[in-house]
Amino acid sequence: MAANPEVGTAYYQRFDIGEAENQAEIVESNLDLVVNGENFEDVIKIQEFSVLEPEESDFKYYAPSVGLILEEEINEDGDKIFSSSLQEMADSESNAFINFLDAETTTTVDVSAVANSAFDNVGGFYQAIDTQGTAIDPVSGAEIAVGDAGYEIAAKSSSVGEFGVTTGETWELDAGFVYIPYLLADGADFLTGFAEANIDGLNHVQAVGEQNFGFEDLIGGGDNDFNDFIINVEGV
């Protein structure tokens, strides 16, 4: 989550006038919930709605460093229906990179990307020195862990390439590094599979197939479909 989410904060999730005018608003914060037997603190509750369908309204509950944990829908009879959507952060993050730490030679890979979003997204990979995502400061050479000050700058400085939607590019990836996929959502917000590195404290990338990496490009988790921008890597 953002460091201090405020009740009343509202934003558009999608905006295409007359077609998709989806909005969200933080309606409660600092909640304590028990979901599937697990305790969660500092949970925020977000209402999702659209002026195009004013009769429909859903609520989602997000926990810090976990993401979406519970959804609440109102059926036609006005009854509340709850469903759990706990994200397995450890599993999704552990697979959301290319590990060449033990490789002995440079590897040639083909990279392509498709998009399912109105955003002008830019994807890429940066070099890390371990599977925890540790990056190297470009000036001092110091190791910077995920979540530490200066991490985004260090990660971007270690980028091996960026691209928008593309049918194919060929890259040479050096041995001895882990390659972390990242997204510049709408060309701006830096998002990765490490929740601590992201502006909202949520995971934004999952492995969606063999060497396919799917992104959720909306701050706050959006619809958690992880298909807004999908990178495919061949040759690994």
Side-chain angles (χ1 to χ4, degrees):
M1 296 296 150
N4 295 292
E6 296 183 0
V7 172
T9 299
Y11 52 91
Y12 278 100
Q13 296 179 306
R14 287 282 190 273
F15 185 79
D16 183 1
I17 190 166
E19 297 293 333
E21 299 183 29
N22 302 335
Q23 301 178 65
E25 179 180 352
I26 299 175
V27 294
E28 292 186 63
S29 63
N30 301 317
L31 300 175
D32 294 331
L33 293 182
V34 177
V35 180
N36 289 355
E38 295 186 52
N39 296 310
F40 297 93
E41 298 179 346
D42 298 324
V43 173
I44 66 171
K45 179 180 180 180
I46 294 178
Q47 181 182 16
E48 297 184 347
F49 57 94
S50 171
V51 296
L52 302 179
E53 298 176 304
E55 71 283 356
E56 296 185 9
S57 180
D58 298 329
F59 297 91
K60 293 183 178 180
Y61 298 78
Y62 293 88
S65 299
V66 178
L68 180 65
I69 60 171
L70 190 67
E71 296 184 59
E72 174 188 335
E73 298 181 7
I74 310 297
N75 66 15
E76 295 179 353
D77 297 324
D79 298 323
K80 294 182 179 180
I81 301 175
F82 292 93
S83 60
S84 174
S85 299
L86 287 175
Q87 296 181 20
E88 298 296 336
M89 296 294 293
D91 290 343
S92 63
E93 290 183 3
S94 66
N95 295 320
F97 50 70
I98 299 172
N99 188 351
F100 281 169
L101 286 176
D102 296 328
E104 297 181 354
T105 60
T106 298
T107 302
T108 301
V109 299
D110 294 319
V111 181
S112 60
V114 296
N116 298 286
S117 172
F119 283 176
D120 186 15
N121 290 322
V122 175
F125 287 84
Y126 64 91
Q127 289 180 333
I129 62 172
D130 55 35
T131 56
Q132 286 72 50
T134 304
I136 300 298
D137 183 276
V139 177
S140 67
E143 297 181 3
I144 302 182
V146 171
D148 286 352
Y151 184 81
E152 180 178 339
I153 294 175
K156 288 180 178 178
S157 297
S158 301
S159 175
V160 296
E162 294 181 347
F163 49 86
V165 175
T166 176
T167 56
E169 295 186 10
T170 300
W171 290 358
E172 300 288 331
L173 300 183
D174 293 334
F177 294 97
V178 175
Y179 292 87
I180 311 292
Y182 69 93
L183 187 74
L184 300 179
D186 215 15
D189 293 316
F190 176 77
L191 302 174
T192 77
F194 295 104
E196 298 91 341
N198 299 331
I199 189 173
D200 56 1
L202 300 176
N203 176 25
H204 279 265
V205 59
Q206 289 185 355
V208 294
E210 186 174 355
Q211 302 308 328
N212 290 333
F213 304 96
F215 288 87
E216 170 55 57
D217 65 2
L218 289 175
I219 302 302
D223 53 12
N224 281 291
D225 54 10
F226 292 92
N227 69 353
D228 299 319
F229 193 85
I230 300 175
I231 299 174
N232 173 255
V233 181
E234 297 183 0
V236 177

